[in-house]
Each structure stands twice: as C-alpha cells, then as structure tokens.
Amino acid sequence: MEAELQQLAVIFQQTLSPDKDAIKAAEQQLKAAAQQPGHCIKVLKLAATPVDGSIRQSAAVNFKNTVKYRWVPSEADLYGGAQPLPDAEKAQIKQLLVGVTLSSPPLVAAQLSEALSIICAYDFPAHWPQLLPELVAKLGTEDLGVVRGVLQVANNVFKRFRGQPSSNNALAQELDMCQQAFLRPLHDTHARLSGLFPGLSAAGQGAGVEPLRQLLGCMRLSFRIFYSLCSMGLSDATEGELGFWMDEMHSLLTYENPALEEADAEKEGVLDGVKTAVCQTVDLLLEIDEDTFKPHLQRFAASVWQVLMKVSPKPGQDNLAMAAIKFLNTIAKGVFSGLFAADGALQQICESVIVPNLRVRPEDEEMFEMNPTEYIRRDAEGGDSDTRRRAAADLVRSLTERFPAEVSRLFTGYITAALADYASNPAANWRSKDCAIYMVTALSVKGRTAAQGATSTTQLVNTLDFYSGQVLPELQNPKLNDNPLLKADAIKFVTTFRSLLPKEACLAAVPPLVALLGCEYCVVHSYAAICLERLLSLKEAGAGRGLRFSSQDLGAHLQPLLERLFAGFKLPDSSENEYLMKCIMRVIGFVGPAIAPVSAVCLQRLAAMLVEVCRNPRNPSFNHYLFESVAALIRHGTAANAASIAEYEAALFPAFEMVLQQDVQEFHPYVFQVFSQLIELRSAPLPQLYLQIFPPLLSPVFWERSGNVPALVRLLQAYLTKAGAEVVSGGHLVAVLGVFQKLLSSRAHDHEGFYIVNAIVESLPLPAYEQYLPSVWTLMFQRLSGTKTPKFCRFFSVFLALFICKHGPAAACQQLDKVQPGIMYMLLQQVWLPTLASIEGPEEEKLVAVAGAKLLTELPGFSAAGPQAALWAGLRKGLVDKMASGGGGGAGQEEEEPDFEEAQGYSAAYARLANASKVERPVLAEIPDPKQYVQEALARVGA
C-alpha cells in the first residue's frame, strides 16, 4: 500500500478510537487533508484497499459525505467554506466508482452505492453517459455476486424515477433513454437467472439453499428495477415487455419453499422479499394503467389473496402483508372493485384479512412498553404508513366507499362482538376493545388534516355515542396505570375526533387527561400531552378561525396541568419528552399574560432544564420546544409585568453563558434569538452585561455557521437599535460592516447583510457612519455589476429608499456622487424602475412609495422639464402604477399572534423561535397613508 494511503488509514483508525481527544485530532487532520487536491480519490482508493474492514467502511462514509457536500455545494455549504470538487477529480471518481463499488464488501459497497446515487442526481445521464454501458457490460458475467452488485447499483440509479409525475418531460426523456439502454439487457439477464432457478430450487435444501437465496436476491432486484422503469407510466417499450415480466413475477409469487423461511421472526425472508416486490409492482401497474393490466388482474388477485391467507403475524412478513393488502386496496378503489361483490367475498376479506390485521400484536405490546418513542412515532404521528394496521384501515375505508351498507353491517357486528367480549372479562379481553376502537376509527374517518384531526366522517358510526359510552369511561378510570394500551387508544380517539366532538364533550375529557399525565407509562402520558396540546390549538371552522377554547375554559385546571407536565419529566423514559415540553409551550402561549401567577415557578423549572440539556444535548425536538417555552414565558410574563425582565435575565443567563463558553453549537441560534428578545423588550440604556457580550458576537467563528446567521443578524439589529451609540463609541462599527461585507457576498445571505445596514441607517446619525458609506455603496455596486439577482435588486432598492426617506434625496445623491458622479440616475434607470413592481410587503412598499415621491419632488435638478425628463416621467408612471396596484403599505396593521401549526418545530438549517419573533416597529410612522402622501406630493409640483 502506498505511503499516503497508509498514513490515511492510520488517521481513519484514530477516528474509531475510544479516546475523544484522538478522534477530534483525527477529524481535524481529515478536515485539513480534504483541502488538498486529489484527497477524495485517495479516500476512495483506501475504501478499495484490503485493510481492516472498519477502516474501509469509515473511508467509504467519508467519501460519501464529501460527495454529498462538495459535488455540487449548496449556497449555504459554500458560505460555510465548502469547496467544489475539481472537474478532473470528478471525472476520475466516475471512472473508478462502479468498479470499486462492485468489488467491495457489502457494508462498504452500500456507502459507495449511496455516493453513486448522489452523483447521479446531478450528473446522470447528461454528464455521465458511460455509466449505463459500463453496467450493461458487467451484467454479462457468470458471477452471481457481481450481477447482484450491478443490479443493486442500477436499482439505486433508477429509483429517481419513482413517484415522479409523467408531466415532467425532462425526466420522462431521461427515463426513455434508460429504457432503451437497459430494458433489454435486464430482460436477458433475468431470463438467464430464471434458467438457473429450477436447478438451484431442486438443490435448495439444507446447506445448498445459499445459492438459491443469492439467485432470488438478484431476481428481486430485477423486479424492483422494472418497477422503477415503469414508475412514470407504461411506454411502448415497457408495455411490450409486460407479458414476460408478469409471467416471471407470477411464477415466483406462487412459489413455496419452507427451506427459505427465516428462523428469526423479525427478519424478512428472501422469498418474502421477492413476493413483496411482485405485489408492489402489480399494484403500481394497476394504479397507472388499469386497462393494460386487466388481462393479468384475475390471476394476480387470486394469487395475492392466497399469499395473504398464508402470511403469519411474524414481523418479518410485515412488508409482504402490507404490499398485498395495498394491492387489494387499489383494486377496491378502482374500476375492478366488483371483484369484491361476489358472494361472501367481502365477509371473507373482512374476517380473514382486515380484522386479524387490525388486532394488536405481541410485537406492538412489546414496543409500547420497551420502545415508546417508536410506538408514538408510528401510532400517533402518522408514521404508521408502514404498519399492517394502517394498511388494513385504508382497505376498510376504500371498501366503505364502494359497499357502505354491507361493510357497515359486517363491522357493526364485529364491533358489537368485540365490545361484548371485553365486557365479559375486561382484564383478560382488553385487546378486543382495543380492536373495536380501531375499527370504529377506520370505519368513521373520511377526511383529516394535521391541524384539525378528523374533519368528516362516514356517518356509519355515531362517534359521540361511542365516545360517551366507551371512550370517556376509559379515560375516567381512576386507576391510572391499569390497561395502559386501552387508555392510549381512548386518548388517541379524542385527539382524532377533536374537531367533530362537541365542545362540552372535549371539555369533559380535560380533567382525566390532566390526571393521565401522571400515568407511569410513557405512551399514555405522552398521548395525554399530545391531546391537550392539540385541543388548545384547535381552531373554529369558518371565516374567523379563532381558537375553539378560551383561557377561561382551562380555568382551575391551569396550575395542576402545569404541575403534572413538569412532574412528567421524572417519569420513566420521559426525562426529555418532547410532547410534554410542546404542551408546556402551548399552555403558556394559550393563557398569555394570565401565566403571571405561576410564571416564577415555570421560569425556575425551565431554567434548570436548560442547564441540564446544555451539558448533553440529545433530543433536538425537545430542545426546540424548551427554548420556545422560555421565549413564550418571556413574551407573556413581561407583558404582564415589564419590570420582571431582570428576573428572567438572572435565571437564564447562567445557561446561556454555558452555551457560549462551552461552544454548544446547536443552541447558538436559540440563545441569540432569546438575547434579541430580551434586548428588544428593554429600554435604553442596556445593562453593562449586554455590552460585554457584544464584541465576541462579531467573531468569525459564529458567522461561519450558516444556521447562526439569521439569529445573529437580528441580534445585531437589536444592539444597533437599543445601544447604537455604545456600538460606535466602542469602535465596533468597522467589525459590524465586515460582517455586512461577508453576508453581501453570499447569494444565500445577502438579504441578511441589508438588514444590518438598514439598522445602521435607521438607528445611527449619519456622521457616525458617513466615512464608511463609499465602501458600502461600492460593495453593492460590485454585486449589481457582477452577480445581481432579482432578490438583491429588491433589497438594494429598499435600502436606497430607506436612506432617501431618512436623509432626503439630495443627501443620498451627494453620498453616491462620492463613488461615481451621476450614478443616482443610472441606478434609478437600471435597478429601481425595473424592480419597483416586484417589491412586496407593506413596510417595503411604503418606503419605496415615499422615497419615490421625494425623488420626484425634492431632488435638485430632477424634474419634468429637466435633462432627465424621460427618467422623471418613467419614475412617476412606475410610482402611480404601483399605487394603483395596491402598493404603498397600509396603516394600523395589528400584530398577529404567532401561529403554531403542526409544521412548526425544529429545523436543522435554522431553528426559528416563533415565540421570540421580532416585534417590528412601523417605518415612517409619521406618514400613516403613503398613497395620500404620494398624491399630495405630486400635486405640489403639478404632476
């Protein structure tokens, strides 16, 4: 092995060390080495070198990440210092990658194959035409291992066509090219594999089963590739191949071999994987072209039905069961739903397929207790699309639409029987009631949204009667820890039907829900928190869309609710329970300033939790809602008592200092936002502590992280607004303008740079920054003459308007002339006028309207009769048109309450705190009606 590769292997070995310092040092070495030409090639070669497997895998992961961030870096990656890989290095990688991937061990090959997929997303097929010919050439080998590797790579390449609309013409052309190049070789390869099948199948017992497993793995991949090639619709090429593939798929769908069953019930068997691929493919074909698939429907429907009759409850067969049920569901939704109308067919499918798959399984019960986080993700958060229960429930809904009377009759019987079974022995037969609740939900819900839950029902079940008779009593059971899974079902029922149940029925659930926050089972107290949070955020239907419940409805429950929520973090598996924290956030925002009587206790608890998570941040969602709760408490607590802000600072600053001193990077954006919020709530002058914090904020290390930028920019704006004189007297303005320069050079962050100079113009007297203005203008002009964008032109026009409104058009012209005499008119002609119509937002429109009127009426030498008469007339017309289109902003706009819908939450790019949102000061408050101002100004000059 080359010396360079040996040295690289040593570094990768160090990254696997148990010593944190050794890992950090090795990562720094890799980071430095990554800047050297050819480094990515060396890492790829190391992944291909027969050294320790962990080193090869580590190198493969590093290679994949390098490709991800440097093949075509995003604007944010470039801002953070990522350098694009040179074209020559890219070309060399593409020459080597397929061969290295095919010759590598499975774990290494998986990482390299993912890297190949990333490259394909950018370069295939236009910039990598050699890829398919290379894959086709390697398909001809007799080595099943190589064939499998080629098919795996091809499968990853063609996945890009799945789920894409046929209206995407560019992608459709690429798909057509792939079909022309790969469909026939795939056919021939599969036919060759199929020819091997009888012999290997006959020998496929005992030790001889392994070659058969390998063969079936290859055949499954060829089915998945055919699936991808059909994903955007059947073409002449794929339709011509359909008969061959349907015969091959049906042959394996009906094939049985007990020797291929997995001993591990959790693991999917290779034959089950093949049958799953078949069910997924025929389901796709039926969805995209019912008429073309019609000749094959009867035999596949019968065979899939037989497969379902043999599927066991083992988790390893979950994928097969779900794919088969989904195929039946597609039949039920389409023109061939009459297949279910045969005598006894509906009853058989309900009793043999749907009801068994709606019942809770031992695996579900184990997950409920042992892995509550995953249970909640699948059951409560809509992540159950990959569960048998969800597939069976979807089939119920489709059959209900087609056969409402028959399905209602059958399920009424099943529900009645299940509830009677439960009533006969509640302790032993609780699973029957669990199934009954699930059946009622599946049968009833017709439409739903994340914000409202169920929005319409089938009317086949009286949900209010079921709630009153079966659900509410379960919630009100004083034994909090009895039948926990049933309690979770009952809570989920309320959550699902919250917008359709009467207000009084929902309010009746609040006391038991508060009590259930004390249940020791994580799923139950998490579901109670989810339900309460969604009840408090529920909006009324109709035009007003106000909240359905008021703080008075919460009334006496507020204090016990908060006590139970905070106590919940001491329950098992809930030390960082994001659902409890989100509910706390919602409660604080819901009651608003009425939080004041308990704000001190809330502040103490939240501050202590902040210190704790700063030591070891683990759950990003929990951390986000924790900071949201802090911001909400500051917002509403200080609204009730402005003098209490010092108490918030005293309680929170220890945690914030820990974040900055220990460089807890994921918390920086949060801390900067809360600092901004506190500064904006204070009156000038700021306490000395804030002024001490300011200089370090200008350190480049903070600004190199793209996610910090929006929060830091807002913080600079807050400082300039409340402590502008101190910023200038402290000699910090040059550093602030240095930040502006860095931001202005980035297309992703140039608007943030304008926010900074806007704050300087708004907050500081002209003499404080006049000496720097020529440099500021010059930087802007360089962007305008080089890499201007529509966004940059809009922000530049607004900045120029702000300067004109603040200091007058004559002063603006004088400052611009220092850079280039007469440039004002050029800017108006080439930037302002073309951009004017696209400027949006009440404040921005108001600025350009008032500034436009000032230019037309106050700029010396600029008039309808002067040398720039044509420009003056164009500017006047643009301004009048802007006013006529509704531009110019409005007066008296009220601040809206932040809206927390389900999308609100943690984001890796920039975690914005909605509760810490900046309260914007109205610009030009002395001009309430800009349209009137423009009319009066033009009237004064007779225009």
Side-chain angles (χ1 to χ4, degrees):
M1 185 167 57
E2 299 174 21
E4 281 186 329
L5 290 186
Q6 285 181 338
Q7 186 179 0
L8 200 55
V10 170
I11 298 174
F12 276 111
Q13 181 71 60
Q14 286 179 324
T15 65
L16 305 171
S17 166
D19 183 353
K20 290 184 178 180
D21 292 335
I23 294 173
K24 193 170 184 179
E27 288 174 346
Q28 289 299 322
Q29 284 181 281
L30 286 175
K31 189 174 181 180
Q35 307 305 316
Q36 303 300 317
H39 173 74
C40 199
I41 296 292
K42 293 173 190 172
V43 174
L44 178 59
K45 287 181 177 178
L46 179 60
T49 304
V51 293
D52 182 81
S54 59
I55 294 176
R56 295 181 69 179
Q57 190 175 355
S58 184
V61 171
N62 182 276
F63 174 80
K64 178 195 70 177
N65 290 335
T66 301
V67 166
K68 181 177 180 180
Y69 293 108
R70 293 184 59 195
W71 199 269
V72 179
S74 67
E75 183 72 22
D77 292 332
L78 288 170
Y79 179 84
Q83 295 298 317
L85 288 171
D87 290 341
E89 194 166 343
K90 288 182 177 181
Q92 194 175 354
I93 287 170
K94 286 188 282 191
Q95 287 177 352
L96 296 172
L97 187 52
V98 173
V100 173
T101 302
L102 295 179
S103 62
S104 296
L107 292 176
V108 175
Q111 297 294 332
L112 298 178
S113 184
E114 194 173 335
L116 192 148
S117 299
I118 295 168
I119 296 171
C120 284
Y122 296 110
D123 285 17
F124 179 80
H127 303 295
W128 201 355
Q130 308 90 345
L131 177 60
L132 287 189
E134 183 178 359
L135 293 176
V136 169
K138 293 181 184 296
L139 268 180
T141 179
E142 297 296 320
D143 186 337
L144 277 184
V146 174
V147 171
R148 182 185 177 91
V150 174
L151 292 174
Q152 185 67 66
V153 169
N155 185 44
N156 286 344
V157 170
F158 297 141
K159 279 180 182 178
R160 64 200 303 234
F161 300 117
R162 297 180 191 173
Q164 299 297 320
S166 57
S167 57
N168 187 333
N169 294 329
L171 201 60
Q173 289 178 356
E174 292 179 12
L175 175 58
D176 181 66
M177 184 275 293
C178 292
Q179 290 174 352
Q180 298 302 324
F182 207 80
L183 199 55
R184 193 67 212 178
L186 181 66
H187 175 123
D188 294 342
T189 299
H190 189 89
R192 182 158 52 91
L193 296 173
S194 189
L196 299 173
F197 184 73
L200 290 178
S201 178
Q205 304 293 329
V209 79
E210 196 52 41
L212 179 59
R213 290 181 190 275
Q214 194 170 18
L215 177 67
L216 287 170
C218 292
M219 298 176 88
R220 175 192 168 276
L221 285 168
S222 66
F223 290 160
R224 295 303 288 155
I225 292 170
F226 185 73
Y227 176 100
S228 296
L229 295 176
C230 295
S231 289
M232 295 178 67
L234 285 174
S235 63
D236 291 342
T238 49
E239 192 171 336
E241 290 273 329
L242 200 57
F244 167 79
W245 288 103
M246 291 299 94
D247 289 343
E248 291 295 315
M249 290 185 185
H250 190 263
S251 173
L252 286 179
L253 184 64
T254 55
Y255 174 69
E256 299 290 340
N257 187 340
L260 293 170
E261 292 181 10
E262 283 289 339
D264 184 354
E266 300 283 334
K267 189 176 179 182
E268 183 178 61
V270 64
L271 184 56
D272 288 340
V274 172
K275 292 184 178 184
T276 300
V278 172
C279 290
Q280 290 170 336
T281 304
V282 295
D283 180 57
L284 170 75
L285 295 171
L286 180 59
E287 277 193 310
I288 62 178
D289 198 333
E290 290 178 319
D291 290 339
T292 302
F293 187 74
K294 184 177 180 180
H296 311 284
L297 177 64
Q298 196 71 45
R299 63 170 173 163
F300 274 102
S303 298
V304 168
W305 176 257
Q306 291 303 315
V307 166
L308 270 173
M309 293 300 98
K310 297 174 183 176
V311 166
S312 73
K314 294 178 182 177
Q317 291 198 300
D318 283 355
N319 289 334
L320 177 55
M322 288 184 289
I325 294 172
K326 189 173 184 298
F327 175 62
L328 296 183
N329 190 23
T330 302
I331 296 175
K333 290 188 295 185
V335 298
F336 301 119
S337 58
L339 288 175
F340 296 107
D343 288 345
L346 268 180
Q347 183 169 349
Q348 188 180 5
I349 199 169
C350 289
E351 292 179 358
S352 302
V353 175
I354 293 175
V355 173
N357 283 294
L358 287 178
R359 294 189 69 87
V360 66
R361 297 183 298 164
E363 294 81 8
D364 301 321
E365 296 176 47
E366 182 181 353
M367 183 183 292
F368 181 92
E369 291 200 31
M370 305 304 294
N371 191 356
T373 302
E374 179 62 14
Y375 186 94
I376 295 168
R377 184 196 70 80
R378 291 171 59 168
D379 189 56
E381 294 186 347
D384 63 343
S385 58
D386 56 349
T387 65
R388 297 193 193 201
R389 268 191 153 186
R390 174 66 176 271
D394 288 343
L395 181 54
V396 171
R397 293 185 186 104
S398 297
L399 292 174
T400 301
E401 288 185 15
R402 296 290 183 176
F403 312 102
E406 181 68 8
V407 171
S408 176
R409 181 186 65 79
L410 287 169
F411 273 90
T412 298
Y414 302 145
I415 293 166
T416 303
L419 291 175
D421 187 47
Y422 169 75
S424 68
N425 190 342
N429 299 336
W430 63 266
R431 294 174 186 83
S432 295
K433 186 167 184 179
D434 167 86
C435 189
I437 294 174
Y438 211 96
M439 282 192 281
V440 168
T441 303
L443 197 63
S444 301
V445 176
K446 190 174 181 180
R448 73 164 74 204
T449 66
Q452 299 289 104
T455 55
S456 60
T457 63
T458 58
Q459 305 299 318
L460 299 178
V461 177
N462 188 318
T463 51
L464 180 57
D465 285 352
F466 188 81
Y467 166 77
S468 301
Q470 301 295 335
V471 174
L472 190 58
E474 209 64 55
L475 296 176
Q476 293 171 331
N477 185 339
K479 296 180 179 179
L480 298 181
N481 297 314
D482 282 5
N483 282 342
L485 211 147
L486 264 189
K487 286 185 169 61
D489 292 337
I491 298 169
K492 187 183 174 188
F493 187 93
V494 178
T495 306
T496 300
F497 292 100
R498 62 190 182 275
S499 66
L500 299 177
L501 290 172
K503 182 176 178 179
E504 296 72 21
C506 290
L507 287 175
V510 170
L513 286 170
V514 173
L516 284 167
L517 289 170
C519 175
E520 67 182 31
Y521 289 91
C522 179
V523 173
V524 175
H525 60 249
S526 296
Y527 275 24
I530 291 169
C531 187
L532 286 163
E533 188 272 327
R534 293 185 182 174
L535 285 172
L536 296 183
S537 63
L538 186 62
K539 293 183 177 180
E540 291 282 16
R545 300 281 291 149
L547 290 176
R548 188 179 192 189
F549 302 99
S550 67
S551 56
Q552 287 75 23
D553 292 323
L554 205 53
H557 304 301
L558 175 60
Q559 188 160 343
L561 170 57
L562 285 168
E563 287 174 355
R564 291 271 188 165
L565 285 168
F566 279 113
F569 296 114
K570 296 180 181 178
L571 293 170
D573 301 310
S574 283
S575 61
E576 294 188 9
N577 188 314
E578 63 194 77
Y579 310 104
L580 294 175
M581 187 54 72
K582 187 176 183 181
C583 191
I584 289 171
M585 174 203 77
R586 181 74 66 185
V587 171
I588 295 171
F590 181 78
V591 300
I595 197 70
V598 292
S599 62
V601 176
C602 291
L603 178 62
Q604 180 187 2
R605 299 284 187 89
L606 293 173
M609 296 176 86
L610 271 178
V611 171
E612 191 61 36
V613 298
C614 287
R615 293 194 178 104
N616 182 23
R618 290 180 297 176
N619 183 340
S621 294
F622 171 82
N623 297 336
H624 181 85
Y625 293 123
L626 173 57
F627 276 96
E628 279 284 16
S629 299
V630 169
L633 195 61
I634 293 170
R635 179 169 178 252
H636 296 296
T638 57
N641 178 11
S644 65
I645 191 166
E647 298 172 18
Y648 289 91
E649 293 167 342
L652 298 171
F653 275 19
F656 293 171
E657 288 174 3
M658 186 183 299
V659 169
L660 298 178
Q661 290 171 1
Q662 298 183 9
D663 197 27
V664 186
Q665 296 182 15
E666 54 265 64
F667 287 174
H668 285 169
Y670 294 129
V671 171
F672 297 148
Q673 288 176 85
V674 177
F675 270 141
S676 302
Q677 183 185 24
L678 290 168
I679 290 173
E680 288 159 4
L681 288 168
R682 271 197 165 275
S683 301
L686 294 181
Q688 190 61 31
L689 179 60
Y690 284 106
L691 301 178
Q692 293 170 356
I693 294 171
F694 183 74
L697 296 176
L698 301 172
S699 170
V701 68
F702 287 137
W703 293 90
E704 287 169 0
R705 299 165 192 153
S706 184
N708 283 350
V709 171
L712 277 171
V713 167
R714 178 182 167 194
L715 187 50
L716 288 192
Q717 289 176 283
Y719 270 106
L720 288 165
T721 302
K722 292 295 173 71
E726 290 88 339
V727 170
V728 174
S729 63
H732 304 304
L733 195 54
V734 172
V736 171
L737 289 170
V739 171
F740 156 75
Q741 180 177 359
K742 178 177 174 60
L743 296 175
L744 201 72
S745 65
S746 164
R747 289 191 182 190
H749 294 294
D750 50 14
H751 62 289
E752 312 273 9
F754 277 109
Y755 292 156
I756 292 176
V757 289
N758 286 354
I760 289 174
V761 171
E762 282 189 89
S763 306
L764 301 182
L766 183 57
Y769 60 90
E770 186 174 10
Q771 61 179 312
Y772 307 115
L773 269 177
S775 298
V776 170
W777 294 121
T778 300
L779 289 169
M780 294 179 181
F781 297 161
Q782 287 171 351
R783 275 292 308 271
L784 287 171
S785 62
T787 55
K788 74 176 180 181
T789 62
K791 181 185 79 168
F792 187 90
C793 291
R794 290 197 302 273
F795 276 89
F796 173 80
S797 298
V798 170
F799 170 71
L800 181 57
L802 174 64
F803 194 93
I804 290 168
C805 291
K806 184 78 174 179
H807 301 294
C813 196
Q814 180 186 6
Q815 295 297 331
L816 286 166
D817 282 346
K818 293 178 182 178
V819 180
Q820 182 179 330
I823 196 173
M824 170 69 90
Y825 298 120
M826 187 188 305
L827 292 171
L828 293 176
Q829 181 72 57
Q830 297 180 10
V831 182
W832 182 292
L833 270 176
T835 306
L836 186 59
S838 65
I839 292 174
E840 295 179 344
E843 304 297 318
E844 291 81 0
E845 291 175 351
K846 186 177 188 180
L847 280 170
V848 295
V850 173
K854 286 180 175 292
L855 284 166
L856 290 170
T857 60
E858 298 177 18
L859 181 59
F862 189 46
S863 67
Q868 297 289 342
L871 176 58
W872 189 94
L875 181 59
R876 180 192 177 282
K877 182 180 184 304
L879 184 57
V880 171
D881 290 346
K882 184 70 176 172
M883 295 297 97
S885 67
Q893 296 185 354
E894 297 181 2
E895 176 197 352
E896 293 187 2
E897 187 77 10
D899 189 15
F900 298 94
E901 293 300 347
E902 296 308 311
Q904 188 272 335
Y906 170 77
S907 165
Y910 168 55
R912 186 182 73 85
L913 295 175
N915 273 305
S917 294
K918 184 180 180 183
V919 179
E920 299 288 351
R921 297 177 302 147
V923 299
L924 305 176
E926 70 278 10
I927 303 176
D929 187 345
K931 290 186 179 181
Q932 181 181 347
Y933 178 89
V934 170
Q935 291 169 355
E936 291 175 354
L938 293 178
R940 285 197 299 271
V941 296

